[in-house]
Amino acid sequence: MTANWTKPRRFDRNLIVIGGGAAGLVSSYIAAMTKAKVTLIEAERMGGDCLNTGCIPSKTLLKSAKVAHQVADAARFGIAASVSGIDFPMVMRRVRDAITTIEPNDSVERYSGLGVECLQGYARFVDPWTVEIAGNDGSSQRLTSRAFVIATGAAPVVPPLPGIESSGYLTSETLWDAMAQRAQAPKKLVILGGGPIGCELAQAFQRLGSDVTLVEMAERLLLKEDAEAAAIIAQCLQQDGVRVLTGHKAVRFDGKILTVEKGGEHTTLAFDDIIIATGRRARITGFGLEELGLVENGRLQVDPYLRTRMPHILVAGDVAGNQQLTHGASHEAWYAAVNALAQPFKRFRADYRFLPRVTYTDPEVASVGLTEEQAKEQGVAYEVTRYDIAHLDRAIAEDETGGFVKILTPPGKDSILGATIVAAHAGEMIAEIVLAMRHGLTLGKLMAASHSYPTWNEANKFVAGQYRLARKPERLQRLAQRWFDWLRH
C-alpha cells in the first residue's frame, strides 16, 4: 500500500505513539526502555479515559456509594446507624482528588524522565511515515518515524434518536464535570444501556440518593457475561431500588422525557438527567488514517499482530476494536510496541485467551475465557463445575453470600476453559484463575495449593474440590472400604 509514496531515507524517530492513554503510555514506556527514540503525542489530558473519565472516577464514586449503602444497612451487623445525608459535592471532590493523586504516574514529567519525548497537540499523517503536529501552544512541526502506534482510544456512542440533542444528555465522559457542579445527585436519573458502565453507574447513583431507571434494549443485562451472573446483578440492582427495564427500545426524546417501547407498548420516562451508556466507538477520524486507506466501514483494519494494512503502523487499545479494557489496552500495547520495534526480525501474535474482565457492581462479576453461551456458540464441548459463595466461611462472616464460582472444563479433563465469579471481591479472585489458565495449571493443581483461612480465594480451591468430588473413584472407594473392614477383624 506504500508503493505510491516516497519513503524517507532517514527517520527522526524509531517510534511515534499517538494517544496518551493506557495503550499509548505503555507503548512509549516499552520503546524508551529499549533505548529507541520515541515521541508520544497527546492532545488533551495524559492518562486518557481511564484516569480522567473512566475507571478511576467511576470506582471512586462506587466506593462512596457502597459506604452509603453499608451505613444504611448497618443494623444487619448489629450497628445502630443511619444515613442522615449525603454530601454530594464532597463525593465529587473525592473523585477529583483520586484523579489528582494518580495523575503524576501518567504525567508528561514522569514520561519525559523515562526518556519519552512528550508533545501536547494533534497529530495527522501527511504520508505513511510523516505526521504533522499542531501543538496546543500554536506551534507546528513535522516528524518522520520508522514505525507508529495508534492509541487514540474510543468515544461514547450517542444513538441518533429524535430529540436527543435537546435532551441535555450526559455520557461517561461528560457526566463528571456536570456532576461536580451539583449540590446533590440527580433526583430522577435514566441510564440508557445495560452494559458494565450502565450497571455500575445505576447502582452508584441509586445508592447516593437518585431514583434510577436503567433501560436496556436486549432481554438481559451484561450481554458478554454469563447469563446467570447477569440475572444476579439485575436482581441486586432491583433490590437497591433501581428500576430495570430490559427488552425496551428507546424511541424518542421530548425535552426531559424519554419514550421507550416494548412489544408495541410505549412507556414515558421523565428525568432530570440521562446518561447515555450504549457503547463506545473507536476514535479514528482527524488523524489522516482515511487518506492512507487504512479505514474500512468505519474501522481500522488490523491483523492478528495489531498491524494495519501498512505494517509499520500498528494499533493498540480501544481504537483497535478487539476489547475495551484498560488492562487490555496495556496488554495490546506490549504486542504493538514490540512488533513495531522488532520488525522485520520478529513478530508476536496478540493473545486474548487469558484476558479477564470485571464489572464493579456489588457484587462484582469477573470472568476469563469462555462463558457457557460462548462455548455453545463456538461448538466447544464443556462441563460445568460450580461452587456457591453461600457456603464460603468468609462470605458468611461478612454477610456477603450472594454469588458463585463457575468453571468450564473439557469433558473428562480438569484444564480450565473459562471461569465466571460473582462475589463481593470477584475482581481480586479472578486473578488466581487467570494465572492458572495462563500457565496451564489444572483444577487439581489449584486444589493442591494452600489457601489462607478464611479468605475469599478459598472459593477457587473449593470449586476445584467440587470437580474432584463429582468424579470420585467409586470402585476404588469400595475396594478401600472392604480392605479397612478386613483390617478391623
Side-chain angles (χ1 to χ4, degrees):
M1 285 190 66
T2 60
N4 296 328
W5 305 87
T6 302
K7 186 175 182 179
R9 293 184 178 182
R10 295 174 59 85
F11 298 99
D12 300 317
R13 304 289 184 269
N14 298 104
L15 183 68
I16 289 178
V17 179
I18 303 176
L25 292 173
V26 173
S27 296
S28 301
Y29 178 85
I30 291 170
M33 292 302 100
T34 61
K35 300 304 179 181
K37 192 169 186 180
V38 55
T39 294
L40 171 64
I41 305 166
E42 170 56 52
E44 298 182 7
R45 292 177 288 182
M46 293 280 281
D49 294 330
C50 179
L51 173 61
N52 297 293
T53 61
C55 310
I56 298 306
S58 64
K59 302 316 166 271
T60 308
L61 186 76
L62 284 166
K63 177 62 177 181
S64 291
K66 186 167 186 176
V67 170
H69 177 72
Q70 289 173 330
V71 173
D73 202 31
R76 185 159 58 98
F77 299 91
I79 308 298
S82 63
V83 178
S84 58
I86 293 174
D87 187 343
F88 192 70
M90 180 60 189
V91 170
M92 297 311 299
R93 281 196 295 274
R94 280 195 66 252
V95 171
R96 181 66 251 173
D97 289 347
I99 295 170
T100 301
T101 301
I102 297 171
E103 273 177 337
N105 297 331
D106 297 345
S107 65
V108 168
E109 291 76 17
R110 181 185 178 220
Y111 277 80
S112 296
L114 292 170
V116 178
E117 179 189 36
C118 298
L119 300 179
Q120 298 289 128
Y122 292 85
R124 182 180 181 87
F125 282 92
V126 295
D127 67 44
W129 299 275
T130 309
V131 289
E132 185 166 12
I133 305 159
N136 292 350
D137 59 0
S139 64
S140 179
Q141 64 174 310
R142 289 190 176 190
L143 290 176
T144 60
S145 181
R146 181 176 174 274
F148 296 83
V149 172
I150 310 300
T152 50
V157 172
V158 179
L161 296 169
I164 192 169
E165 294 302 328
S166 59
S167 67
Y169 70 86
L170 301 172
T171 69
S172 59
E173 289 187 350
T174 61
L175 75 90
W176 306 106
D177 286 342
M179 293 300 165
Q181 310 302 317
R182 307 291 175 82
Q184 60 184 21
K187 291 184 178 179
K188 288 186 178 295
L189 175 65
V190 171
I191 298 177
L192 195 58
I197 294 174
C199 289
E200 290 177 7
L201 292 176
Q203 189 172 54
F205 278 103
Q206 183 72 37
R207 289 179 167 186
L208 290 171
S210 295
D211 181 6
V212 179
T213 299
L214 179 61
V215 180
E216 168 55 49
M217 184 168 61
E219 292 300 324
R220 71 172 179 90
L221 305 177
L222 300 175
L223 288 177
K224 291 184 179 180
E225 302 302 336
D226 177 271
E228 186 180 5
I232 289 176
I233 298 308
Q235 183 180 28
C236 290
L237 292 177
Q238 290 168 332
Q239 289 174 347
D240 280 345
V242 176
R243 183 185 182 190
V244 178
L245 300 180
T246 54
H248 284 71
K249 181 180 180 180
V251 175
R252 66 177 181 276
F253 287 85
D254 297 289
K256 295 290 186 180
I257 297 175
L258 171 65
T259 298
V260 297
E261 179 268 331
K262 181 176 184 178
E265 295 187 5
H266 289 75
T267 303
T268 58
L269 305 173
F271 58 84
D272 297 306
D273 283 292
I274 184 165
I275 298 173
I276 306 297
T278 51
R280 295 172 64 79
R281 182 181 294 118
R283 289 191 181 97
I284 56 176
T285 60
F287 304 102
L289 300 170
E290 296 93 341
E291 289 80 355
L292 295 183
L294 302 182
V295 178
E296 183 178 318
N297 298 324
R299 292 192 61 180
L300 283 168
Q301 301 303 305
V302 180
D303 72 7
Y305 304 94
L306 298 176
R307 302 176 304 181
T308 66
R309 289 170 176 169
M310 294 180 178
H312 69 287
I313 301 177
L314 295 94
V315 182
D318 288 1
V319 70
N322 296 315
Q323 45 71 41
Q324 293 187 350
L325 303 164
T326 296
H327 54 282
S330 301
H331 179 76
E332 286 184 333
W334 185 90
Y335 290 97
V338 171
N339 287 340
L341 296 168
Q343 59 183 331
F345 305 107
K346 188 72 174 175
R347 62 180 184 177
F348 298 88
R349 187 186 184 99
D351 186 354
Y352 302 95
R353 292 174 297 165
F354 314 117
L355 189 66
R357 57 182 180 268
V358 183
T359 300
Y360 295 91
T361 46
D362 183 16
E364 297 174 351
V365 179
S367 58
V368 63
L370 296 176
T371 64
E372 287 194 69
E373 293 80 9
Q374 291 167 342
K376 291 173 182 175
E377 290 171 2
Q378 298 176 25
V380 177
Y382 68 93
E383 296 176 341
V384 176
T385 304
R386 175 193 168 107
Y387 175 79
D388 287 323
I389 296 296
H391 303 307
L392 184 67
D393 289 1
R394 181 60 180 269
I396 294 169
E398 296 191 8
D399 205 1
E400 297 276 7
T401 53
F404 58 82
V405 179
K406 183 185 290 188
I407 302 285
L408 273 61
T409 53
K413 298 180 180 180
D414 66 345
S415 56
I416 304 171
L417 294 171
T420 296
I421 303 176
V422 181
H425 300 279
E428 313 298 331
M429 297 164 65
I430 198 69
E432 185 175 34
I433 306 296
V434 173
L435 181 68
M437 291 180 67
R438 178 67 181 82
H439 294 285
L441 302 179
T442 63
L443 289 179
K445 298 289 187 182
L446 196 61
M447 188 173 68
S450 296
H451 289 65
S452 301
Y453 175 87
T455 55
W456 286 92
N457 266 32
E458 280 189 296
N460 295 334
K461 180 183 179 77
F462 293 153
V463 73
Q466 290 291 107
Y467 176 91
R468 185 62 57 84
L469 182 64
R471 294 158 181 81
K472 59 183 181 292
E474 295 182 359
R475 181 174 177 274
L476 288 177
Q477 286 181 318
R478 288 194 296 270
L479 289 174
Q481 183 178 9
R482 290 172 62 184
W483 166 251
F484 288 119
D485 287 346
W486 180 83
L487 286 177
R488 292 198 309 272
H489 294 88

